[in-house]
Amino acid sequence: MRLIPIKHCTPGMKLGKSIYNEEGLVLLNENVELTSSLISRLERLGIDFLYVHDPRTDDIVIPNLISDETRRKATSAIRANFRRMMENCGRRRTVNVDFIGSTFRDVMTMMIDDLSRNDKAMVMLTSINATDLYLYQHSLNVCIYATTLGLAYGYSKDELMTLGLGALLHDIGKTQVPLELLKKPGQLTAEEFEEMKKHTEHGFKLLKDEPNIPLLAAHCAFQHHERLDGSGYPRGIKEDDIHEYAKWIAIIDSYDAMTTHRTYRPAMLPHQAIEALYAGSGTLYDQSKLEMFRDKVAIYPIGVTVTLQSGEVGIVVDVNARSPQRPIVRVLQDADGRDLKEPYEIDLSKKLNVMIAGVNDVNLPCLEFSR
């Protein structure tokens, strides 16, 4: 299968991976044949890319980071509990956050178990989701990425639980922000942004005294928008005053925001987001953590179409764990756009003179980082 922009999808193509709704349940099953109306519907839901079947790439397997059961339970818990907190926004608090803590601990246990079984787990675009609020899917994504990185970093199970809960609940304060701001189809005004920034303080207050939520997880909600140079919020703290978990989440939160469709801009592909993050290396984001994040990100996800500097076009069929910016590519077309009778594969980690010049028909500067 291959990953293509939805604008390139045509009626008759078949889905390569299922699409999930806001409850974590299947919205459209794998192998469903796309129609014009289905493509339009998915575009309206804010989906920018789809996995589709292609006879030349149907042997390509796109790995799932977590099981469908874990995804369903996590998505359901996030949506149900965050909605309940939104409904109680502005009232005397009646929501049992202690219960929320217990529920999310169960989710984290499942997630840690899933990710621990995959010692080659990488941050990779693998699931296409349609949700009624960006906050829900974003919270789950940030948690998956943070737990994957925490495992690679060598955190203990208790540390992973704290980091994972901090990531899962980092934006819980947005349940106390007016819904019209969360759903606004455009950039916020300066006044609206000031209101939105309060979500860090709201989140800390919601979580700091709860026995089933570690205090460090509450600090993740408080500090994930702080930046090394003091330009962040809410307190403008710097460097060592920011907890290391919050430094991880700052990177992941920014990355997922950039690679997720928003009403006011399309999603970036991973290589574009990584380049944007590196512009803030050492000033906004911790450089050593950013380097490790880069080394665990599939900059070119399996299934994505790439154009080589030679003009040849191919599909990423596998990612080199030690060098994710140098994937294995199956070349399908020559430089003149003609389909090859016998496609062949190039391992870019061994062919250092071969460079990727574009992704999904978008030209880009080659991304080569020192290790």
XYZ file of all heavy atoms in Angstrom, residues 66 70 73-74 77-78 100-116 139-140 142-148 151 156-169 212-214 217:
375
model
N 0.212 0.852 18.355
C -0.591 0.298 19.446
C -1.732 -0.519 18.849
O -2.098 -0.330 17.686
C -1.149 1.396 20.374
C -2.039 2.377 19.608
C -0.018 2.126 21.088
C -2.750 3.388 20.497
N -6.285 -0.966 22.399
C -5.704 0.136 23.177
C -6.144 1.472 22.608
O -6.496 2.397 23.351
C -4.172 0.029 23.173
O -3.786 -1.210 23.775
C -3.537 1.182 23.944
N -9.823 2.138 23.579
C -9.997 2.475 24.989
C -9.456 3.865 25.286
O -10.083 4.649 26.007
C -9.302 1.446 25.883
C -9.510 1.729 27.372
C -9.213 0.528 28.238
C -9.552 0.852 29.699
N -9.367 -0.322 30.580
N -8.286 4.190 24.724
C -7.688 5.506 24.957
C -8.545 6.620 24.368
O -8.820 7.626 25.029
C -6.280 5.543 24.362
N -11.748 7.051 26.388
C -11.507 7.671 27.699
C -11.239 9.161 27.563
O -11.766 9.975 28.335
C -10.331 6.978 28.385
N -10.419 9.522 26.567
C -10.117 10.940 26.359
C -11.386 11.711 26.024
O -11.695 12.735 26.645
C -9.081 11.107 25.227
C -7.729 10.541 25.649
C -8.931 12.584 24.841
C -6.749 10.376 24.500
N -10.823 9.894 36.849
C -10.155 10.096 35.565
C -8.723 9.587 35.636
O -8.233 8.929 34.726
C -10.198 11.594 35.163
C -11.615 11.979 34.765
C -9.228 11.870 34.028
C -11.780 13.433 34.445
N -8.051 9.883 36.748
C -6.675 9.415 36.913
C -6.579 7.905 36.853
O -5.685 7.342 36.217
N -7.520 7.208 37.514
C -7.522 5.746 37.503
C -7.750 5.210 36.090
O -7.090 4.264 35.645
C -8.614 5.218 38.440
O -8.376 5.635 39.769
N -8.699 5.829 35.374
C -8.998 5.401 34.000
C -7.779 5.554 33.105
O -7.420 4.644 32.346
C -10.166 6.225 33.429
O -11.318 6.025 34.239
C -10.474 5.822 31.996
N -7.111 6.692 33.191
C -5.978 6.941 32.313
C -4.752 6.124 32.706
O -3.905 5.823 31.859
C -5.668 8.435 32.255
C -6.667 9.212 31.449
C -7.138 10.438 31.882
C -7.156 8.716 30.250
C -8.070 11.161 31.133
C -8.082 9.418 29.494
C -8.537 10.649 29.945
N -4.637 5.749 33.968
C -3.563 4.841 34.355
C -3.748 3.474 33.682
O -2.776 2.859 33.228
C -3.524 4.671 35.879
C -2.746 5.758 36.597
C -2.645 5.478 38.084
N -1.763 6.439 38.722
C -0.443 6.331 38.806
N 0.160 5.273 38.276
N 0.282 7.260 39.396
N -4.987 3.021 33.616
C -5.263 1.764 32.920
C -4.875 1.867 31.439
O -4.281 0.943 30.867
C -6.744 1.400 33.035
C -7.137 1.008 34.453
O -6.230 0.707 35.258
O -8.344 1.021 34.756
N -5.218 2.999 30.820
C -4.865 3.227 29.417
C -3.349 3.217 29.246
O -2.815 2.598 28.317
C -5.460 4.564 28.928
C -4.849 4.968 27.581
C -6.968 4.472 28.810
N -2.643 3.897 30.161
C -1.186 3.965 30.061
C -0.546 2.593 30.219
O 0.440 2.278 29.544
C -0.624 4.928 31.107
C -0.669 6.398 30.711
S 0.022 6.715 29.072
C 1.625 5.915 29.170
N -1.088 1.770 31.088
C -0.550 0.417 31.260
C -0.652 -0.357 29.953
O 0.309 -1.033 29.525
C -1.310 -0.324 32.373
O -1.102 0.367 33.623
C -0.809 -1.764 32.514
N -1.802 -0.268 29.282
C -1.982 -0.940 27.998
C -1.016 -0.388 26.956
O -0.418 -1.140 26.171
C -3.424 -0.767 27.526
C -4.460 -1.444 28.402
S -6.165 -1.053 27.908
C -6.272 -1.909 26.330
N -0.837 0.930 26.946
C 0.016 1.552 25.938
C 1.482 1.175 26.146
O 2.201 0.858 25.180
C -0.165 3.064 25.981
C 0.320 3.767 24.738
S -0.176 5.486 24.687
C -1.955 5.348 24.751
N 1.929 1.205 27.391
C 3.312 0.832 27.683
C 3.558 -0.623 27.287
O 4.593 -0.961 26.706
C 3.633 1.072 29.166
C 3.655 2.580 29.470
C 4.986 0.455 29.538
C 3.709 2.906 30.953
N 2.593 -1.487 27.595
C 2.732 -2.900 27.227
C 2.823 -3.062 25.714
O 3.676 -3.809 25.210
C 1.543 -3.705 27.763
C 1.599 -3.904 29.273
O 2.666 -3.647 29.865
O 0.574 -4.296 29.858
N 1.947 -2.367 24.965
C 1.965 -2.466 23.501
C 3.297 -2.006 22.932
O 3.912 -2.686 22.096
C 0.840 -1.616 22.893
C -0.519 -2.288 22.955
O -0.605 -3.412 23.490
O -1.496 -1.684 22.471
N 3.745 -0.841 23.349
C 4.955 -0.254 22.781
C 6.208 -0.998 23.226
O 7.197 -1.046 22.491
C 5.047 1.228 23.152
C 3.966 2.114 22.519
C 3.998 3.523 23.120
C 4.140 2.196 21.010
N 6.171 -1.603 24.421
C 7.328 -2.354 24.919
C 7.577 -3.610 24.099
O 8.702 -4.109 24.032
C 7.121 -2.742 26.385
O 7.063 -1.596 27.208
N -4.123 14.646 21.924
C -3.724 14.145 23.239
C -3.219 12.710 23.138
O -2.198 12.350 23.754
C -4.904 14.226 24.218
O -5.297 15.570 24.410
N -3.904 11.883 22.358
C -3.476 10.499 22.185
C -2.156 10.421 21.424
O -1.243 9.680 21.808
C -4.557 9.709 21.446
C -4.219 8.246 21.119
C -3.889 7.468 22.380
C -5.368 7.589 20.361
N 0.297 12.635 21.170
C 1.418 13.110 21.980
C 1.810 12.054 23.005
O 2.990 11.825 23.282
C 1.078 14.455 22.660
C 2.155 14.866 23.667
C 0.930 15.556 21.602
N 0.817 11.366 23.551
C 1.088 10.300 24.518
C 1.840 9.141 23.872
O 2.818 8.624 24.437
C -0.221 9.818 25.134
S -0.006 8.513 26.356
N 1.396 8.709 22.689
C 2.069 7.608 21.994
C 3.520 7.976 21.695
O 4.452 7.197 21.945
C 1.327 7.248 20.695
C -0.052 6.656 21.005
C 2.147 6.265 19.856
C -0.936 6.468 19.776
N 3.733 9.169 21.162
C 5.081 9.600 20.809
C 5.967 9.695 22.054
O 7.130 9.260 22.053
C 5.047 10.958 20.111
C 4.301 10.993 18.797
C 3.966 12.209 18.206
C 3.924 9.829 18.123
C 3.286 12.271 17.000
C 3.242 9.881 16.916
C 2.926 11.098 16.365
O 2.254 11.160 15.168
N 5.438 10.288 23.136
C 6.228 10.468 24.355
C 6.608 9.123 24.969
O 7.746 8.934 25.428
C 5.449 11.306 25.367
N 5.674 8.184 24.970
C 5.959 6.866 25.534
C 6.992 6.134 24.693
O 7.900 5.476 25.226
C 4.664 6.041 25.648
O 3.677 6.793 26.373
C 4.916 4.737 26.385
N 6.881 6.244 23.372
C 7.878 5.639 22.472
C 9.266 6.194 22.752
O 10.244 5.448 22.867
C 7.498 5.904 21.003
O 6.212 5.341 20.736
C 8.520 5.307 20.052
N 10.629 5.044 26.229
C 11.166 3.687 26.167
C 12.570 3.691 25.566
O 13.488 3.042 26.080
C 10.238 2.797 25.335
C 8.979 2.290 26.034
C 7.975 1.793 24.997
C 9.334 1.154 27.002
N 12.292 4.090 33.444
C 11.672 2.957 34.126
C 10.168 2.963 33.876
O 9.616 3.935 33.356
C 11.934 3.046 35.634
O 11.217 4.148 36.195
N 9.486 1.880 34.281
C 8.053 1.800 34.063
C 7.316 2.901 34.817
O 6.365 3.493 34.294
C 7.516 0.427 34.479
C 6.102 0.160 33.991
C 5.744 -1.307 34.053
C 4.373 -1.553 33.423
N 4.028 -2.996 33.396
N 7.762 3.215 36.048
C 7.129 4.298 36.807
C 7.348 5.641 36.124
O 6.436 6.481 36.068
C 7.679 4.344 38.236
C 7.139 3.213 39.111
O 6.144 2.579 38.717
O 7.726 2.970 40.191
N 8.551 5.845 35.608
C 8.840 7.095 34.904
C 8.019 7.183 33.621
O 7.511 8.263 33.276
C 10.340 7.183 34.588
C 11.204 7.401 35.824
C 12.687 7.251 35.546
O 13.060 6.434 34.663
O 13.488 7.918 36.215
N 7.886 6.065 32.919
C 7.061 6.045 31.707
C 5.610 6.363 32.032
O 4.935 7.070 31.269
C 7.143 4.676 31.026
C 8.428 4.339 30.278
C 8.397 2.883 29.832
C 8.623 5.259 29.078
N 5.113 5.845 33.153
C 3.739 6.130 33.551
C 3.548 7.633 33.780
O 2.567 8.221 33.307
C 3.399 5.356 34.823
C 2.002 5.624 35.375
S 0.655 5.076 34.278
C 0.785 3.283 34.443
N 4.495 8.257 34.470
C 4.383 9.690 34.754
C 4.499 10.513 33.476
O 3.698 11.418 33.225
C 5.468 10.123 35.759
O 5.288 9.407 36.975
C 5.383 11.619 36.041
N 5.517 10.202 32.656
C 5.684 10.923 31.393
C 4.462 10.735 30.508
O 3.952 11.699 29.909
C 6.929 10.422 30.672
C 7.156 10.939 29.241
C 7.327 12.458 29.234
C 8.359 10.258 28.598
N 3.977 9.484 30.413
C 2.823 9.198 29.561
C 1.570 9.915 30.020
O 0.823 10.475 29.204
N 1.318 9.925 31.337
C 0.154 10.648 31.854
C 0.296 12.145 31.617
O -0.670 12.827 31.257
C -0.024 10.359 33.347
C -0.588 8.987 33.708
C -0.475 8.745 35.208
C -2.047 8.874 33.262
N 1.512 12.660 31.802
C 1.738 14.080 31.539
C 1.467 14.431 30.088
O 0.885 15.478 29.782
N 1.879 13.528 29.182
C 1.640 13.746 27.752
C 0.165 13.619 27.416
O -0.394 14.428 26.671
C 2.470 12.760 26.938
N -0.482 12.590 27.954
C -1.891 12.348 27.666
C -2.772 13.509 28.144
O -3.759 13.864 27.502
C -2.330 11.046 28.339
C -3.668 10.442 27.940
C -3.675 10.054 26.468
C -3.966 9.215 28.793
N -2.378 14.115 29.264
C -3.200 15.153 29.898
C -2.593 16.547 29.769
O -3.059 17.483 30.427
C -3.399 14.805 31.384
C -4.069 13.450 31.655
C -4.036 13.135 33.142
C -5.494 13.427 31.130
N -4.216 10.171 42.115
C -3.908 9.236 41.031
C -3.176 9.891 39.865
O -2.916 9.249 38.855
C -5.186 8.563 40.518
C -5.529 7.330 41.340
O -4.634 6.590 41.741
N -6.796 7.110 41.590
N -2.862 11.167 40.013
C -2.105 11.891 38.987
C -0.798 12.377 39.621
O -0.823 13.197 40.536
C -2.892 13.109 38.444
C -4.228 12.675 37.849
C -2.058 13.867 37.402
C -4.133 11.833 36.609
N 0.374 11.902 39.156
C 1.638 12.376 39.732
C 1.787 13.891 39.565
O 1.366 14.455 38.553
C 2.705 11.632 38.912
C 1.996 10.476 38.296
C 0.582 10.914 38.086
N 3.239 15.028 36.386
C 2.331 15.055 35.236
C 1.603 16.392 35.189
O 1.379 16.951 34.109
C 1.338 13.903 35.316
